[in-house]
Every structure is written in C-alpha cells, then in structure tokens.
Amino acid sequence: MKKFKRYTITSALPYANGPLHIGHIAGAYLPADTYVRFLRLRGEDVVYVCGSDEHGVAITLGAKKEGLTPKAFVDKYHNIMKKAFEDFGISFDIYSRTSNEIHYKTAQEFFTKINDQNLFTIDSSDQYYDEEEKIFLADRYIIGTCPNCANPNAYGDQCEKCGTSLSPKQLINPRSTVSGKTPVLRPTKHWYFPLDKFEGWLKEWLVEGHKDDWKTNVYGQCKSWIDQGLQPRSITRDLDWGIPVPLPEAKGKVLYVWFDAPIGYISATKELKGKDWEKYWKDPETRLIHFIGKDNIVFHCIIFPSMLKANGEFILPDNVPANEFLNLEGEKLSTSRNHAVWLHEYLQEFPGRRDELRYVLTSISPETKDADFTWSDYQKKVNSELVAILGNFVNRVMVLTWKYFDGKVPSEKEIAGTTEKRKKILAYYNQAHTDLDKTVKEMINCLQTFKFREAQFQMMNLARIGNKFLADAEPWKLAKEDMEAVAAILNYALTVVGNIAVACEPFLPDAAKSIKKQLNASGLDKKWNELWTKEQLVHTVPEGHQLNAAELLYKNIEDEDIARQVSRLKKTESKPMEATNLKAIKPEVVFDDFSKLDIRIGKVVAAEKMEKSDKLLKLTINAGVDTRTILSGIAKHYSAEEMVGKQVAFIANLAPRKMMGIESQGMILSAEDSDGKLRLIRPDEIVNPGSTVS
RNA sequence: GGCGAGGUAGCUCAGUUGGUGAGAGCGCAGGAUUCAUAACCCUGAGGUCGGGGGUUCAAUUCCCCCUCUCGCUACCA
C-alpha cells in the first residue's frame, strides 16, 4: 500500500433542510469519525472536514414554506445539525457551511480557474420568464397553443395532440403553469461542465486505476455510468440564492448547488488551516478520502473528481468508501412519514449513551448491503455485548484489584512455573498474549481497509480474550494459596484493560475516557498509542500505580426503554403530517377553469401491465359514452388483476398522449400520500359508467 | 425494461483464486463457575450457501436462465 504523508477526510455535506437521523450517521459520519480517530491515534497528520450544504432551490422552497428567508432557514438547520454532531461526538476538525464568505470566494475562484481554460461551454438562449414568480420557466412549465394543430394546451417541448416537437417560443399565447400569467422572453445563458470530455480520463483513472481498491458497490455503479456515456452538465442557475457566477455577463446567475457544494470541503480546510491549507488538497502525498452514502456515489466518484481534474491543481480522491442505506424496523427511513430515529431526539432520550448508538450502528454498518436497525437489536447488542463482555471485563478486573491489592497495580514480576497450577497459568497467559496480538493486528488491518464492523468486532475480542483469561486463570481461587500468581494475573489483566482503553477509542470514545479515568491514567499514557503503531499490546500500567474507584461503563437497556421507543415510532407515524411537509396551495382559478375539465367515472374492464415499464398499467375503461384506453403510472401500487372491475375517476377530455408507443386517452385520478403512495379516487357507491364528477 | 449491488444457520453478517466434515457474534439448549452488571467460561443443536439448468473428476464458489430485495435510469398526463 502506498504510504501517505497526510490525510484529508471528508464526510458528505448534509443538506441544511432538516435534522439528522441515524441513517445519515451510519452512512457517512460514524465510519469517517472512527477512521479519523484511528488515524489520529497513529499520529497521522489528518484534517477531517464537513459542513452544511446551504444552497439550491430546495432551500428557497423550504424557507418559503416556513415563512423564513433562505438565510434564516439555513441558519436554523445549520445550528441544529452542528449541535447534534457535537453532542454526539463526531470529531470534525471543522464543521463549516457553504454560505460562508470564504466559501463564496473559493467556489468562485474554482469556477474562474476552469473558465480561464475555456473548458466550460455556454449555451445561450431566450427563455420564458415568469414575472410574477420571478423565475425562469423550464419548457414543461409553459403551455400554449400549438402552431401546428391549434391545440390550446400544448407543452413547451411537445404538443401531445399532434406529437410535434416544439420549443416554447413556437407556442401561441404561452402561459406559465406556475402562476398562470403570460411569461416574457428573456435572454439567458448557462455554463456547462463538459463531463463528456473527461470520459477517456475517467476510464483510465477510475475504471482501470481503481478496479481493485474500491468497494464493489462503488466501482460497479461508476463503471455503469461511464459506460453509458457522459453528458455535459449545466452548472449555473437563474436564482437569487446561491453563489454568484463571477463573470460580468452572468449577472443574476448563481452556481448550481452541486457545483459549489463539494468545493465546500476545500473552503472548510482553508478556514481551518489558513495559509497551510494547500498541502491538504494539492500535495500528491496527501490521501483524500470521501465518506458518503450510496446516493452520492456518482457525484463524488465521477463529477467532483472531473471538476478537480479540470481545475488542474488538486489531488483526487484515493478512495470513496460509500455505504449502502440503513432501514429502520424493516422499513425505509422516511422523513415525511417521520419513520426515523432522529439524532437529537436519541441524545435526549438516552442521555450519556452515545457509545451505545455508535456501537450498534457500527456493528450493523451497511458496508456491503442495506442494513436494518431495530430497537430490540439495539437492546440485545448493548446488553449482551457492551455490558456483558466489555463493561463486565473492565469491572471485574477493577473489582479484583481493589479487593486483593487495595486498588494498587500489583507486581509486574512474571511468575516461574514452579507448580502445576503455575505452569497452567503461564500457558493461559501465553495463549492470551498470542491471541491479543493477533487481534490487534487484525483490528488495525480492518480499519485500514474500511471494514469498521469487523474492526469493532476485533476490538471486542480483546475483552472476550480477557474474560477467558480470567476464567481460565481463576485468580479468586489462587488468592488463598499464591498471591504472587494473583498479582501476575491481575497485572496482566490490567494491562489488557489499558490496551482496551486505547483500542476502543475510535469506536467508543466515552468508554475510553471512563477506563482511563478508572485507571487514573492521566500522565502515564504517553506510550499507550504504540498499540496502534507497533500493532501489538503495550505495557500500560506501572507497578504500584494507584487506581481510581471502579465505575460501570454501561448499564443494561431495560425493556421499557425499548417499548417506549417502538411505540413512539408507531405513534408519530400515524399522526397527520405537519403542514410544512405538504405542498403549497396552487394559485387561485375561477370556476370556468374548473368546468373545462370533464371528470367522469368509468369501470375498468381490462387491465394489463405494460411491458418494459415498471410503473405503467394499461387500463381499458368503460366510460359509458365510449370505451377507451388509459395508461396510468400506478403499477407499483395496484396490480393489473385488482384493478379489473374497479370504478375509477378519470379526466375524459385531456389531450391524448403517447407513452411507450400507446396512446393514453385520459388520466386516472388518485391521491398521492407524502411518501409517494398512490390511492385511487373512487365513488362512494357504484354509479353508472360515464357519470360526471363536479 | 436497461444497468449496478445483494439474496449463506432463528437474527446480524463473514467466507470460498472450485476440492479435506461451510464459519463468527447474538439468540437457544445443556454443563461448569462465583471475581463480576443473573454477568463470564465450556459444550451442543441449527444451514440441500434464493430456485432451475450447464461446464467439471468435483460448484455454495465459474457460465446461462428465473426469482426476490435495494439503488441508478426510462416510462408516471
């Protein structure tokens, strides 16, 4: 493995529009934090940067819903997230934000550097602008009369009646579907990043260069993307919230959020390190690693590296150990349904139990496939592993030492195998020592290769081996006959405890602190970190050293605690959605607008799944006046069989539209739940087919 | 539909460049023990390695087909 001089570690910038839940933590933050703590213990030069991602349309919309300015909105969520990370003990060297001035400057410089090389392409055109909503309108948000067939409801890109491809400017009497007003043409242009030009380079650098050292899930998805061919990506937006494009001719334009966000890693490093920042991003002997969730793979493995390459001054990520997703009680985490364990709520509900959550999330870390968090699993892992194995081992060693030696570290002297019993003890000792060294090596090896689940398991094995050593050596029996042997046993057991204090720090920082306190370790732990560099057990506590009182590392999680969390999940899920999650009411219409729609009831007489489509059902509807074919995107929610015989509401005079080669003559009405679930709108009782709805 | 990743003991997951009886932790059963938070330690039961076909002396591991889960992507009027 290549030896690096220093490390730049990033965790995905969380988007500042909501609080953090355990899925975020398990995906991008806990693994990174564990890794960073490990690197620090090894004495590596490392920066660990992160911050809030605060730009984009979703922020402006979210702000509008909450009646805040975008700035006030991101301030609110930035502070919530920052505090949650701090309280949970994610050890960023800096948690910054993309609304900072330094970030504006950095992102603009980054843009300029690429622009100076004439790498961007510019696509300039007149676009319709909605003066009421003050936004440029995408083609689909404009309707008007088709110049070809006079259909009054043609879309900006296509007339559905005659099938002609259109551009918005060809429409007669264009209207904005957002406000209903007549939009005006305004010239606008956008800058595009030519991702396609980096295809050859990506094949070399990623497809060839990282075939073996990147995780299969990451590599597979990247290769698939590159093989499908890459397109130029627009990197500017007409928006008033974001980083202004630093060109005089780009007034009123901002950088597209995905362009500015990853540069936030760089800005944060600048903010942290001042003039010293460059070596963390420009020296090839620096190892750059991005920790992310799988939704961010393409972005961090293809787009951002291409940007860095285009800029020309920067190093590239050496690895991107993306995690899969975390589920909760067998179902996907859902913010809108409130099916989630929120980090800030966990910290309130389980005060002082940060290690417990870290431990459980690492032990089920979705490293190779989606994983499931359940509260009962949480309880089991805490009680039967943290309490019973680790906590108990430390406790029994402490208690024994106090009982037999008044809390003073007993003699370091090794015993001679003068009796049968002593010979046995020596054998146990040798066995334990061999096992422990092997385990430490294995743990370190796993940490280096991002196998945190396995690494933590090996860390726990240190306590398992310690427990076995005590059970085999039985010092409590020897206390009556051979105190010298008891001393040797406990001295070694304390050494193991000390090493566990060092070894568990990346995983369980609070336990590390507590054990060190019990060992009264301040001032004598200078060489302890040799565990990490020499990859073997080190002697931690000198003879005669006075220990502090024993304290329990962990307490059992009671059934009631778990029951409360489970019922809480159920309760919050059934409660109606908060208004902030609902879509805003559309602009007012007059009755005439409504009466233009011909909504009717029809009976599904036949239904089949459209081939080659995941979402479409082809329905044959008896509409009374006629029988027609309607395609509907409900296949994920209704099977073809269960649709047959059902009465449904549909729009009878909607312009026909071709999909997948078949013309759909109408639109089935259904209600969409916040989580995207569709339910049909149907009459309360059976009515005659063709009945109108008003 | 295309692409990517997964489907291994009750649960959470390892593993196999194809080959002696397929592993761990937890859970469960039995035993031993008392220093310890009814904890620890030992032993054991449990799997036709998603289904079918093929290649091979030999496949859970390679190839093909099917199926289920997750993600990206097209179709949602």
Side-chain angles (χ1 to χ4, degrees), chain A residues 276-328:
Chain A
D276 213 18
W277 74 274
E278 286 193 323
K279 64 183 185 189
Y280 292 95
W281 281 93
K282 298 187 176 179
D283 182 350
E285 289 188 284
T286 297
R287 189 177 192 205
L288 172 63
I289 297 172
H290 298 304
F291 284 86
I292 55 170
K294 71 172 158 182
D295 50 335
N296 258 326
I297 288 176
V298 166
F299 197 76
H300 283 78
C301 298
I302 293 180
I303 300 175
F304 187 45
S306 296
M307 287 164 57
L308 293 169
K309 175 77 181 164
N311 183 293
E313 295 182 4
F314 290 87
I315 53 169
L316 300 163
D318 185 62
N319 209 326
V320 184
N323 267 347
E324 301 284 304
F325 286 159
L326 187 69
N327 293 326
L328 171 58

Side-chain angles (χ1 to χ4, degrees), chain A residues 391-408 470 475-476 486 490 493-494 497 518-519 547-552:
Chain A
N392 182 43
F393 173 64
V394 173
N395 183 243
R396 63 199 297 209
V397 173
M398 290 299 295
V399 169
L400 283 167
T401 308
W402 274 100
K403 180 165 176 178
Y404 296 124
F405 301 101
D406 289 329
K408 278 201 177 58
L470 282 186
W476 48 90
V486 174
L490 285 183
L494 280 165
V497 169
Q518 293 180 58
L519 293 179
L547 306 180
N548 284 322
E551 60 183 41
L552 296 182

Side-chain angles (χ1 to χ4, degrees), chain A residues 509-560:
Chain A
D510 289 340
K513 218 177 286 171
S514 168
I515 299 173
K516 283 186 181 175
K517 184 180 154 207
Q518 293 180 58
L519 293 179
N520 189 19
S522 60
L524 57 77
D525 61 348
K526 254 182 247 161
K527 63 186 279 254
W528 287 18
N529 287 3
E530 285 180 5
L531 170 90
W532 294 104
T533 49
K534 294 193 173 167
E535 308 196 4
Q536 63 183 25
L537 238 51
V538 292
H539 191 256
T540 46
V541 281
E543 179 179 344
H545 180 71
Q546 179 63 53
L547 306 180
N548 284 322
E551 60 183 41
L552 296 182
L553 287 183
Y554 302 106
K555 291 201 183 95
N556 275 314
I557 304 281
E558 302 300 332
D559 291 348
E560 303 91 77

Side-chain angles (χ1 to χ4, degrees), chain A residues 555-612:
Chain A
K555 291 201 183 95
N556 275 314
I557 304 281
E558 302 300 332
D559 291 348
E560 303 91 77
D561 298 331
I562 293 307
R564 197 169 65 241
Q565 294 306 320
V566 172
S567 71
R568 189 185 144 106
L569 261 185
K570 285 191 181 133
K571 206 160 71 192
T572 53
E573 272 166 39
S574 59
K575 107 184 162 192
M577 272 211 317
E578 288 173 30
T580 54
N581 289 332
L582 295 171
K583 287 185 186 159
I585 301 285
K586 291 180 187 170
E588 185 176 287
V589 297
V590 294
F591 181 75
D592 269 2
D593 290 333
F594 170 73
S595 60
K596 282 178 191 162
L597 290 175
D598 192 338
I599 306 174
R600 301 204 180 213
I601 300 301
K603 185 178 173 185
V604 179
V605 292
E608 59 178 287
K609 181 127 194 310
M610 284 287 286
E611 262 182 53
K612 300 188 179 181

Side-chain angles (χ1 to χ4, degrees), chain A residues 207-225:
Chain A
V207 180
E208 287 305 313
H210 287 297
K211 197 184 286 180
D212 301 317
D213 60 334
W214 284 15
K215 289 170 70 169
T216 51
N217 58 339
V218 176
Y219 180 82
Q221 190 177 348
C222 292
K223 187 168 183 306
S224 158
W225 253 71

